Amino acid sequence: NAGVTQTPKFQVLKTGQSMTLQCAQDMNHNSMYWYRQDPGMGLRLIYYSASEGTTDKGEVPNGYNVSRLNKREFSLRLESAAPSQTSVYFCASIPDRASPDTQYFGPGTRLTVL
Amino acid sequence: RKEVEQDPGPFNVPEGATVAFNCTYSNSASQSFFWYRQDCRKEPKLLMSVYSSGNEDGRFTAQLNRASQYISLLIRDSKLSDSATYLCVVRRASKIIFGSGTRLSIRP
């Protein structure tokens, strides 16, 4: 049981390049989340997915797209990276909508856009 | 206005002191409330859930005031290991929003 895994751990992009951040969980959780955290700031919700096949915008969705193709995986895509997207990206999951339990977080992806 | 607001700190207190953090949320439909702890460059970890009746876990006490839309965290007898950023978290259905965090530094 690996919990929530994220790849890659580190990435450097040039402005305008595209990439996909991968997230997977093996806990059979329904809801999954993508956050970004800028230096000295809290986590800001980019997108979330309450269940397989559904996605919703969070606080800061602009410049990102997401895909929840199955229950395990929730990917975050940057189509044309910008320096303002330099951040640490965390993926998280929770068991189900009714549960007040904790979110399980991945270790984060540190992205730098030059 | 941000949906979840916290005093960013930093709070710098001596070991053994009592320290309190506050958090306000703007959406009255919010359902669940939590405090998370985050160490530098690591993922956040749940510290405790927050209930209307108040709850305590060792040196940590959390309170929720739904009428005022206000959450608090009290840390008694603070330890050096309590130095971290404390994040207030609010959940409404599947949407989970974090505050920007309060930095706490405990000095010997």
Side-chain angles (χ1 to χ4, degrees):
Chain A
N1 188 333
V4 179
T5 57
Q6 291 182 235
T7 55
K9 285 191 167 49
F10 301 92
Q11 183 70 50
V12 179
L13 292 177
K14 293 181 180 176
T15 296
Q17 286 185 313
S18 62
M19 81 160 294
T20 299
L21 280 62
Q22 305 287 355
C23 174
Q25 49 89 13
D26 60 2
M27 298 172 282
N28 204 38
H29 288 173
N30 287 323
S31 299
M32 296 185 73
Y33 302 79
W34 275 106
Y35 294 92
R36 62 176 285 175
Q37 186 173 33
D38 301 323
M41 305 272 290
L43 279 72
R44 291 186 291 171
L45 182 63
I46 305 172
Y47 271 94
Y48 64 103
S49 169
S51 61
E52 181 181 345
T54 69
T55 61
D56 286 285
K57 293 180 180 179
E59 302 168 275
V60 289
N62 291 344
Y64 304 95
N65 286 302
V66 290
S67 179
R68 182 88 184 269
L69 293 177
N70 55 59
K71 196 168 187 178
R72 285 192 67 246
E73 298 170 299
F74 187 37
S75 60
L76 178 72
R77 183 158 178 84
L78 286 69
E79 290 292 350
S80 179
S84 61
Q85 294 178 304
T86 293
S87 193
V88 179
Y89 291 84
F90 287 105
C91 177
S93 68
I94 60 173
D96 61 58
R97 293 182 66 167
S99 171
D101 286 341
T102 182
Q103 279 182 303
Y104 294 78
F105 279 86
T109 295
R110 282 159 179 77
L111 175 67
T112 301
V113 183
L114 302 175
Chain B
R1 183 186 171 193
K2 293 186 70 173
E3 189 164 342
V4 180
E5 303 222 47
Q6 292 182 249
D7 180 344
F11 285 67
N12 189 322
V13 303
E15 201 173 1
T18 295
V19 61
F21 306 139
N22 300 322
C23 169
T24 58
Y25 60 96
S26 60
N27 194 317
S28 59
S30 299
Q31 298 164 302
S32 305
F33 309 88
F34 309 89
W35 283 103
Y36 275 69
R37 171 196 168 122
Q38 186 177 28
D39 295 296
C40 188
R41 299 178 70 81
K42 297 285 184 75
E43 68 271 26
K45 293 190 188 308
L46 179 69
L47 181 65
M48 58 199 303
S49 301
V50 188
Y51 306 112
S52 296
S53 54
N55 48 302
E56 190 173 308
D57 182 2
R59 298 180 294 107
F60 299 84
T61 302
Q63 291 276 352
L64 165 65
N65 184 322
R66 283 190 184 269
S68 302
Q69 296 181 196
Y70 169 97
I71 305 157
S72 65
L73 176 68
L74 183 79
I75 305 175
R76 289 182 301 278
D77 188 25
S78 53
K79 312 290 185 194
L80 294 175
S81 57
D82 294 334
S83 295
T85 296
Y86 290 83
L87 301 161
C88 174
V89 182
V90 171
R91 178 176 173 181
R92 183 173 73 256
S94 294
K95 192 172 185 180
I96 299 177
I97 301 291
F98 281 71
S100 56
T102 300
R103 266 198 307 134
L104 174 64
S105 180
I106 308 296
R107 62 180 188 270

